[in-house]
Amino acid sequence: MALKQTFSGGLFGHASALVLGAVLAVSGTAAADSVSRAFSIPAGSLSTALNRLAESGGLQLVYDTAITEGLQSKGLSGHYTPEAALQRLLADSGLSYRMAENGNIVIERQSLNYKQDPTALPAVNVVGKKVYDPNDPFSQFYAVPNASTATKTDIAIMDTPVSIQVVPKSIMNDQQAIRIEDALTQNVSGVQRAYGTADMYESFIIRGFASDDQMYRNGFRRSMGKFDPANIEQLEVLKGPASVLYGRLQPGGMVNYVTKKALDVPYYSLQQQFGSFSEFRTTVDATGPLDKDKTLLYRFNAAYDEGNSFRDFVDHERVFIAPKLTWRPNDRFEANVEIEKRHENYTEDYGVPVSGNRPITNRRSLFTGDPAIKPSQDTTLIYADWSFKFNDDWGLRHKFQWDETDIVFGGVAPNSKINADGHTLDRFGILGTSNRRSYSTSLDLTGKFQTFGLKHNVLVGGDWFFFNQDAPDNNFSYGTIPTFDINNPQYGNFDMAALRAEPANWFWRSRDDWYGVYFQDQITLWDKLHIMGGGRYDMAGYGGYGGTSWDETKAGFSMQHEDKFSPRVGIVYQPWDWLSVYGNYVESFGTNNGRSATGGNFAPQAAEQYEIGFKTEFFDKRLSSTVAYYHLTKNNLMTFDLSTPDPTDQKTIGEARSQGIEVDIKGQITDEFSLVTTYAYTDARYTKDYSGLQGNRLLNVPEHQASLWGTYQFTEHFKAGLGGVVVGKREGDNTNTYQLPGYTRLDAMMAYVQPIGKTRLTAQVNVYNLLDKEYYTGSTSWLPTANVGAPISAMGSLKLEY
């Protein structure tokens, strides 16, 4: 920030030099500015506080320095309009303010009325930089400097020897991404959607490997499900194995979403979105203090979402609420309690069937299920944490989460590819229930200290995770559901009562129960070299069993236990502030492989990764980039054992490898131009297998994929954007018997902001798939079906903020 000051004796002489105006270079007169912005002004002299307000708020203040002499300010922290911030600083000071005709703000004693012409006074010009504030609800920043997922500590991304990509809500807002899937696959390199049981839960492929149902919320694993973005502040994707800090994980990486915080300044938002296919979505966001001392804060987010689809008979309805309370009695202690409730009814849709080595084309609305059977989900989450700072360097944090999901299954799915006649399809029905419940807790001690000139940033912690799944009454019916003719679709042509009367034939109980302790130290030398080392010791238990009845399943269920130590090392060298060169080596503790036929334990899956890359920050750290090369191997995959005469024997000698290059660039080129661009080259295939998979590419992983998105702020009120994604050909299954063709999709947006008193109204419209291309977003992992991308469509929005 460049500061230019001019003092003159003027009317009051040198002893009472009249000061002080400030003009933020990118703002007009802020007294007329009704837009809230972030302020952080420490307690101290009132004169200093007013200077900082003028500097950061874009105000031109004029006053006699004598009237502020000896006056103190309590400071200011939070989001205010500039005028509201000035009012708070002057409260109980005996001073008031008024607007001069030339737009200056004159500060004076309440009992006096200075008549001097403020236009004759010299001004102080301050040119300031915008600073990223993660809690600013009006933030337009695309680049985020910090993310806690990679290290569980507050370390800048530039100082972290791993690839961590962040999608803040500003990008999600510009793209109107109402699904996590859209926000990630368009804005993070090497990420694709993975499909399990239709659209029952959200799963992603990162660096070639599917994450299964392992989604994280504020560092804790969620039970299987879908998650509403109404309460999400930003999405963080940690590339590569992450089990060192989080326990058992698939090695490609993890998705962690960070929820919105309660703020100590009022903020209210009401948004109504409406789009193609009868999409109707209403969201509410309200936050602020509950007491005058701002020790008790709240936040309330809610969403109602309903709509149809371009797919025949496919619809959805979701209700979501998320209240939160924060207690902050002093600057050392903070406690938070959150609740989330979600209810969802939807149609189970597996996409279009496969014929030969391709999904069928020109039939993207064809629904092969039946609208008479629909599933539902009910989810309840309770989260609590507290943190205490012993001093500026040491702190303790404890977190707890309880998460439960009840699922009612209901759907009809293709059982195979299209038959030899070219138009009929065998199907099966799914009915039943499942309960998934998890408990998580962690305790972390963080600290900073120096030894022999070395700066240490340490983490020592432990966690416990428990997960239980019961599926006591599921039925996979292959006889009741009739054959489907894609040329003459018939629905409701089976006996629903007979289907429900069929006895259950699939039962399952599983449990994860593990403890972990971990440590990490990031050592800094000469402020340029950062060396990170750490490890985790897991004591993990797992059990999974399915019998011929629920009673047999419960009786046959048992747990097996495994221990493992996983190390991680990394190094960052920063020859200049704008460049970081890094590398890492990490091992991972993965999925359990169960028991052998003789009752012994198969070795659990494991992984190791080597990675090198560099990161940059340009344009006052508003534009960031990461370029990475990685080599990732997943070991101990199950495959046939050729050393025995029994062809069904298996052993854990299988291996899959993913290697590639990833590029992520996001941020602001100028104050007006924001940009996101990504590219990933991914070579992911089986490298050792005796089941016929060796040499095959992993399913749903394109060799090349890229994206580009940019917005330009043409005026203070009007913004427009354009972008697209390019995805290469993908294999539809692990046996590589069919392929999904590559595609290109273009999107666009326009937004207009109009202040209305103390509120602001944003009208926005987004258009997706501008060229109306037919494409496939991914294949189902265990069925020969392909999920279809939407045709040209639009989303409109009206958002009122105060």
Side-chain angles (χ1 to χ4, degrees), residues 115 517 520 603 624:
K115 301 297 184 182
V517 290
Q520 175 182 278
S624 64

Side-chain angles (χ1 to χ4, degrees), residues 492-520:
N493 56 349
F494 59 90
D495 189 340
M496 189 68 187
L499 178 64
R500 294 192 180 281
E502 289 187 8
N505 58 16
W506 191 86
F507 311 90
W508 181 253
R509 166 170 281 183
S510 64
R511 179 178 296 172
D512 281 283
D513 188 0
W514 76 63
Y515 301 84
V517 290
Y518 46 87
F519 69 93
Q520 175 182 278

Side-chain angles (χ1 to χ4, degrees), residues 346-401:
Y346 58 101
T347 304
E348 196 164 270
D349 179 21
Y350 287 88
V352 299
V354 173
S355 179
N357 65 348
R358 288 287 190 276
I360 62 172
T361 59
N362 300 317
R363 303 297 297 273
R364 57 186 173 191
S365 66
L366 178 67
F367 176 57
T368 60
D370 199 284
I373 311 177
K374 290 189 176 183
S376 65
Q377 292 187 28
D378 285 277
T379 298
T380 302
L381 178 141
I382 298 175
Y383 171 90
D385 69 44
W386 62 265
S387 59
F388 179 75
K389 295 180 181 179
F390 299 101
N391 50 45
D392 291 340
D393 295 324
W394 290 88
L396 190 67
R397 184 170 190 178
H398 175 244
K399 302 193 296 185
F400 172 81
Q401 178 177 284

Side-chain angles (χ1 to χ4, degrees), residues 551-779:
D551 288 338
E552 181 189 336
T553 298
K554 291 187 292 184
F557 174 82
S558 63
M559 297 282 289
Q560 60 189 91
H561 299 274
E562 297 156 346
D563 298 345
K564 188 178 188 302
F565 176 77
S566 303
R568 177 169 76 164
V569 294
I571 186 169
V572 178
Y573 178 63
Q574 293 179 280
W576 303 283
D577 289 342
W578 56 269
L579 175 65
S580 293
V581 181
Y582 76 93
N584 68 62
Y585 170 79
V586 59
E587 295 182 7
S588 175
F589 188 30
T591 303
N592 187 286
N593 280 318
R595 293 180 180 273
S596 66
T598 59
N601 292 347
F602 284 120
Q605 294 180 15
E608 64 176 4
Q609 175 185 270
Y610 301 88
E611 179 179 352
I612 58 173
F614 65 87
K615 306 176 185 182
T616 64
E617 286 183 335
F618 293 110
F619 306 113
D620 294 329
K621 299 186 177 182
R622 295 181 305 175
L623 182 72
S624 64
S625 72
T626 301
V627 177
Y629 167 77
Y630 66 91
H631 185 282
L632 173 58
T633 305
K634 184 177 181 180
N635 305 305
N636 295 342
L637 302 182
M638 299 294 293
T639 186
F640 291 136
D641 185 357
L642 302 183
S643 65
T644 71
D646 188 345
T648 65
D649 282 351
Q650 290 185 304
K651 64 188 307 183
T652 55
I653 60 172
E655 181 182 274
R657 183 262 298 138
S658 177
Q659 61 184 359
I661 298 172
E662 296 171 338
V663 180
D664 290 87
I665 303 171
K666 61 173 63 72
Q668 283 71 39
I669 304 295
T670 68
D671 286 341
E672 296 80 19
F673 182 30
S674 299
L675 176 73
V676 179
T677 184
T678 73
Y679 169 76
Y681 165 75
T682 309
D683 178 18
R685 60 184 70 244
Y686 290 95
T687 51
K688 187 183 294 185
D689 181 85
Y690 299 130
S691 306
L693 301 179
Q694 186 163 323
N696 287 1
R697 291 187 60 85
L698 303 186
L699 83 161
N700 283 331
V701 182
E703 190 172 24
H704 301 277
Q705 68 180 94
S707 69
L708 176 65
W709 172 262
T711 62
Y712 194 85
Q713 190 80 43
F714 288 92
T715 70
E716 181 183 356
H717 301 286
F718 178 70
K719 176 166 64 175
L722 182 68
V725 295
V726 179
V727 178
K729 184 181 73 172
R730 293 142 292 156
E731 296 295 335
D733 58 3
N734 284 324
T735 54
N736 293 183
T737 62
Y738 70 96
Q739 292 77 40
L740 309 183
Y743 66 90
T744 299
R745 194 192 73 232
L746 294 179
D747 305 326
M749 65 83 69
M750 291 187 297
Y752 187 85
V753 178
Q754 178 61 54
I756 304 176
K758 295 184 178 181
T759 67
R760 78 173 189 175
L761 177 67
T762 302
Q764 182 173 332
V765 61
N766 290 67
V767 182
Y768 309 104
N769 196 5
L770 277 167
L771 303 181
D772 198 23
K773 296 290 188 179
E774 183 175 8
Y775 66 98
Y776 305 93
T777 57
S779 61

Side-chain angles (χ1 to χ4, degrees), residues 192-493:
Q192 288 287 316
R193 174 69 193 272
Y195 292 91
T197 305
D199 201 27
M200 186 180 73
Y201 61 91
E202 289 173 306
S203 177
F204 297 94
I205 298 169
I206 308 172
R207 289 188 170 175
F209 296 106
S211 63
D212 296 335
D213 59 342
Q214 299 168 1
M215 180 78 78
Y216 281 71
R217 176 191 188 275
N218 295 333
F220 277 153
R221 183 184 294 194
R222 294 293 315 266
S223 295
M224 183 184 295
K226 294 187 289 186
F227 313 112
D228 197 284
N231 190 35
I232 293 178
E233 185 69 34
Q234 63 189 35
L235 300 166
E236 301 181 359
V237 181
L238 175 58
K239 304 289 192 69
S243 65
V244 169
L245 293 181
Y246 297 98
R248 276 185 161 161
L249 272 168
Q250 291 295 331
M254 65 175 285
V255 176
N256 179 45
Y257 67 89
V258 180
T259 57
K260 297 177 180 178
K261 295 182 179 180
L263 304 180
D264 60 3
V265 292
Y267 169 76
Y268 311 99
S269 171
L270 174 64
Q271 184 176 24
Q272 180 60 61
Q273 294 170 287
F274 42 89
S276 302
F277 321 116
S278 303
E279 175 65 36
F280 182 91
R281 177 178 172 85
T282 306
T283 54
V284 175
D285 186 358
T287 186
L290 291 174
D291 63 335
K292 65 178 182 179
D293 294 327
K294 297 186 176 182
T295 60
L296 189 62
L297 316 175
Y298 82 96
R299 190 146 196 169
F300 178 80
N301 289 99
Y304 176 76
D305 193 331
E306 68 171 357
N308 298 321
S309 170
F310 67 97
R311 305 271 298 149
D312 295 338
F313 304 107
V314 174
D315 58 14
H316 67 274
E317 181 184 37
R318 178 187 297 175
V319 179
F320 173 80
I321 60 171
K324 176 177 182 175
L325 285 176
T326 295
W327 183 45
R328 195 180 298 153
N330 52 56
D331 59 359
R332 289 192 174 188
F333 181 83
E334 180 179 310
N336 300 278
V337 177
E338 304 177 46
I339 299 174
E340 287 187 3
K341 289 284 292 183
R342 178 179 61 88
H343 171 76
E344 184 160 11
N345 300 309
Y346 58 101
T347 304
E348 196 164 270
D349 179 21
Y350 287 88
V352 299
V354 173
S355 179
N357 65 348
R358 288 287 190 276
I360 62 172
T361 59
N362 300 317
R363 303 297 297 273
R364 57 186 173 191
S365 66
L366 178 67
F367 176 57
T368 60
D370 199 284
I373 311 177
K374 290 189 176 183
S376 65
Q377 292 187 28
D378 285 277
T379 298
T380 302
L381 178 141
I382 298 175
Y383 171 90
D385 69 44
W386 62 265
S387 59
F388 179 75
K389 295 180 181 179
F390 299 101
N391 50 45
D392 291 340
D393 295 324
W394 290 88
L396 190 67
R397 184 170 190 178
H398 175 244
K399 302 193 296 185
F400 172 81
Q401 178 177 284
W402 173 71
D403 186 10
E404 183 165 9
T405 300
D406 290 306
I407 300 175
V408 177
F409 296 108
V412 174
N415 189 33
S416 61
K417 294 182 180 181
I418 290 178
N419 294 325
D421 58 19
H423 62 93
T424 62
L425 185 70
D426 296 327
R427 301 182 300 168
F428 67 98
I430 307 172
L431 292 174
T433 63
S434 175
N435 173 266
R436 294 176 168 90
R437 184 176 67 255
S438 69
Y439 305 92
S440 307
T441 188
S442 67
L443 182 65
D444 293 328
L445 174 68
T446 58
K448 298 178 182 179
F449 60 93
Q450 294 191 32
T451 58
F452 307 106
L454 304 179
K455 298 178 182 178
H456 297 263
N457 191 331
V458 298
L459 164 72
V460 179
D463 57 24
W464 171 65
F465 173 76
F466 172 87
F467 171 79
N468 185 81
Q469 175 185 351
D470 285 339
D473 55 1
N474 285 249
N475 175 35
F476 285 74
S477 175
Y478 293 89
T480 307
I481 306 299
T483 299
F484 186 84
D485 189 336
I486 65 172
N487 295 329
N488 184 28
Q490 300 291 320
Y491 302 96
N493 56 349

